[in-house]
Amino acid sequence: MKVIEGSTITSASESTIDCHQHQLVVIDDQGYIARTVDETDRDFASIKATAAQAGQLTTLGADEYLLPGFIDLHVHAPQWPNAGVALDRPLNEWLDTYTFPTEAKYKDVAFAKRVYDDLVGELLANGTTTVLYFGSVDNPANLELAKACINHNQRGFIGKVAMDNPDQTPENYRDASAQSAVADTERFIHQLDQLNQTASIKQTAVITPRFVPSCTPESLKGLGKLAKKYDLPVQSHCSESDWENGYALAHYHKRDSEVLDEYGLLTDKAVMAHGTLLNQSDLDTFKARGVAVAHCPISNVYFGNAVLPVSKLLEQHVKVGLGTDISGGYSPSIYQNIRQAVMSSRMLNDGVNSELRPEQRGTSHQPISAKNGFYLATVGGAKSLHLQTGQIKAGYLADLQIVKSPLKAFDDESMDQVFEKIMYHASKADIKQVFVQGKLAATANS
Ligand code: GUN
Ligand code: FE
């Protein structure tokens, strides 16, 4: 058992937060929150005293706050060495010139180990407790990523990337055939099962067709069958850019989402990155199938060719969470992505072309708030991955971050003010400790 005493902030709904000035969060030996106890509760003093006596009490400082850990729904682990590089190139050129050659280097397992240890520590240091990762084509490197997650105490969802279309992938970095793409994916599922036998934080294999252009119809079909056979999550990119959206239309005479759906890849465990160009019919399919969108607002500035109308997705009850999309997005911080999600939504609403009259300039999509962003980063991500986490609440996994107020307070501040200052200013220097399933995580700060 473990007890954390202090101020807590958790999402209560898409647009509201629940704050407690002085609470005990009781964590059981399985790493779940057993109960939360308010100062007014008559057990408060006795629970606190018992925990203190047993050396199980952590008390936060007056300027520290307990928040749920963040969930990053879209990271390309092998692209970490490229964070911030060549973002001025269009998506297809960026992939061919910078990204595929970088990912090809992970045939070298020692290189993979070096990068992945650093990346997992960095994401944890930024308060991210669960990550949905794209690995690379090569399984030995993907297993290093899983080992890094296990060693640092991070919950990873990890995909062996499948990309077998010789027209859209380089010769030195692709699956040799559709059959081997599917067979290697199945092998990775079993290898991860093995690793999990001795892991305290379990890792999950994810079916990962890179995106429609990189794959042949045969590999998409085989991967859809694997997703069903093992009942595993699926991840891919969908309608990210004009070029990508146009590819399915030109080659299949269908929309991106229709191609993925035809092969059984749009399930209620599927997370599709970006979706900036999804139309209403795509959104209807996503809603009907229970597909989630990984909104990657920083990456979208460079490659998305449009802004995802987040408020529309929330109104229509399409699942949506946040992703950094390293290295399409330059930052490993979900805080930064909350900020960009808010700012991009404001520009979508206002419009940006000063030559147009105000009433013609923007769209009817309402901007989102910092509270909406916090919801996406916690509850939205948890729902997308079917995890009982993302909230400070009895029965939920104790995935938590202790955050020090990043700025001085010059007067009494309401919890709403504290919350907004944390959302807009927190960086990894302010994140003091991170717990995953009740276990202290090994962050780049620790
Ligand atoms: N589409 C296919 N691969 C990628 C990738 O690595 N990053 C992004 N942003 N989009 C992709
Ligand atoms: Fe991506």
Side-chain angles (χ1 to χ4, degrees):
M1 203 185 69
K2 191 184 267 126
V3 175
I4 303 178
E5 175 190 22
S7 299
T8 63
I9 304 176
T10 191
S11 182
S13 74
E14 284 168 10
S15 53
T16 58
I17 54 171
D18 189 16
C19 303
H20 296 260
Q21 288 279 2
H22 194 185
Q23 225 179 19
L24 300 176
V25 176
V26 182
I27 301 167
D28 69 22
D29 291 336
Q30 280 68 51
Y32 284 82
I33 298 171
R35 61 184 288 204
T36 56
V37 186
D38 274 316
E39 211 177 3
T40 48
D41 199 308
R42 65 190 151 81
D43 300 356
F44 186 94
S46 64
I47 293 172
K48 180 178 165 177
T50 310
Q53 240 169 23
Q56 292 165 333
L57 182 70
T58 301
T59 300
L60 306 194
D63 58 352
E64 291 180 340
Y65 299 85
L66 188 68
L67 274 65
F70 289 149
I71 295 157
D72 189 332
L73 287 182
H74 192 54
V75 172
H76 294 271
Q79 296 175 21
W80 177 228
N82 272 0
V85 174
L87 293 173
D88 51 347
R89 313 312 307 154
L91 179 61
N92 54 336
E93 192 184 319
W94 175 82
L95 286 171
D96 292 341
T97 314
Y98 297 93
T99 305
F100 295 155
T102 299
E103 292 191 13
K105 290 185 194 165
Y106 291 75
K107 293 184 197 332
D108 176 351
V109 178
F111 181 69
K113 182 171 165 40
R114 216 149 48 87
V115 175
Y116 291 160
D117 269 338
D118 187 71
L119 171 64
V120 173
E122 184 71 21
L123 291 168
L124 283 164
N126 280 282
T128 301
T129 45
T130 297
V131 183
L132 176 53
Y133 285 110
F134 272 60
S136 64
V137 167
D138 299 290
N139 274 339
N142 297 329
L143 290 168
E144 288 305 320
L145 177 56
K147 286 180 204 162
C149 291
I150 291 167
N151 292 339
H152 285 77
N153 285 338
Q154 186 180 63
R155 187 176 304 101
F157 286 71
I158 302 170
K160 172 249 175 304
V161 171
M163 43 191 283
D164 66 317
N165 181 2
D167 293 341
Q168 291 290 330
T169 54
E171 197 177 357
N172 71 340
Y173 187 58
R174 72 165 76 112
D175 293 293
S177 65
Q179 289 73 20
S180 70
V182 175
D184 285 352
T185 300
E186 191 159 19
R187 190 166 306 123
F188 181 63
I189 295 168
H190 296 306
Q191 288 170 325
L192 206 49
D193 271 349
Q194 282 296 317
L195 267 189
N196 274 336
Q197 312 238 317
T198 50
S200 52
I201 306 286
K202 304 287 181 227
Q203 309 299 311
T204 305
V206 183
I207 307 299
T208 308
R210 184 172 202 117
F211 65 159
V212 167
S214 294
C215 293
T216 60
E218 293 74 31
S219 66
L220 293 174
K221 189 170 174 191
L223 293 169
K225 284 188 180 160
L226 276 190
K228 187 162 186 196
K229 178 174 173 189
Y230 292 96
D231 190 25
L232 285 174
V234 177
Q235 61 181 340
S236 192
H237 300 83
C238 189
S239 294
E240 175 183 10
S241 68
D242 289 317
W243 168 73
E244 188 211 325
N245 204 39
Y247 184 93
L249 291 171
H251 290 79
Y252 290 85
H253 308 291
K254 289 192 175 122
R255 294 192 56 77
D256 223 11
S257 76
E258 291 172 319
V259 177
L260 294 165
D261 196 33
E262 183 174 317
Y263 294 115
L265 292 159
L266 294 189
T267 69
D268 78 335
K269 289 189 172 176
V271 179
M272 294 293 131
H274 310 300
T276 47
L277 295 164
L278 294 172
N279 67 15
Q280 187 56 54
S281 131
D282 299 321
L283 289 179
D284 291 343
T285 305
F286 276 33
K287 172 77 195 306
R289 304 274 185 275
V291 174
V293 175
H295 177 38
C296 308
I298 294 182
S299 169
N300 293 164
V301 171
Y302 301 100
F303 299 129
N305 298 134
V307 174
L308 184 79
V310 175
S311 56
K312 176 173 161 187
L313 270 65
L314 290 175
E315 275 160 28
Q316 296 190 10
H317 304 289
V318 175
K319 288 185 254 175
V320 52
L322 286 180
T324 56
D325 191 27
I326 289 166
S327 67
Y330 57 81
S331 170
S333 164
I334 286 289
Y335 285 99
Q336 291 268 41
N337 277 277
I338 290 173
R339 292 162 205 155
Q340 187 65 51
V342 172
M343 291 189 288
S344 292
S345 77
R346 300 192 69 84
M347 296 175 88
L348 177 65
N349 181 243
D350 276 351
V352 294
N353 185 351
S354 62
E355 289 171 10
L356 298 176
R357 292 207 311 276
E359 60 276 16
Q360 297 173 316
R361 206 178 291 144
T363 68
S364 60
H365 305 302
Q366 289 304 304
I368 63 166
S369 66
K371 287 176 186 168
N372 294 145
F374 183 53
Y375 169 88
L376 299 179
T378 54
V379 180
K383 283 187 192 296
S384 303
L385 294 173
H386 299 266
L387 290 172
Q388 188 81 346
T389 187
Q391 285 169 273
I392 302 178
K393 209 163 148 176
Y396 280 62
L397 284 161
D399 297 341
L400 302 163
Q401 49 179 325
I402 296 175
V403 187
K404 185 174 171 299
S405 178
L407 296 176
K408 255 194 169 61
F410 295 96
D411 214 335
D412 279 352
E413 287 182 339
S414 69
M415 285 296 273
D416 261 22
Q417 288 171 312
V418 169
F419 166 78
E420 291 199 313
K421 285 171 85 168
I422 289 175
M423 288 302 118
Y424 278 107
H425 296 283
S427 67
K428 72 175 175 180
D430 308 305
I431 298 168
K432 297 302 167 193
Q433 280 188 325
V434 176
F435 298 90
V436 179
Q437 211 164 319
K439 292 184 171 53
L440 194 60
T443 77
N445 279 344
S446 58

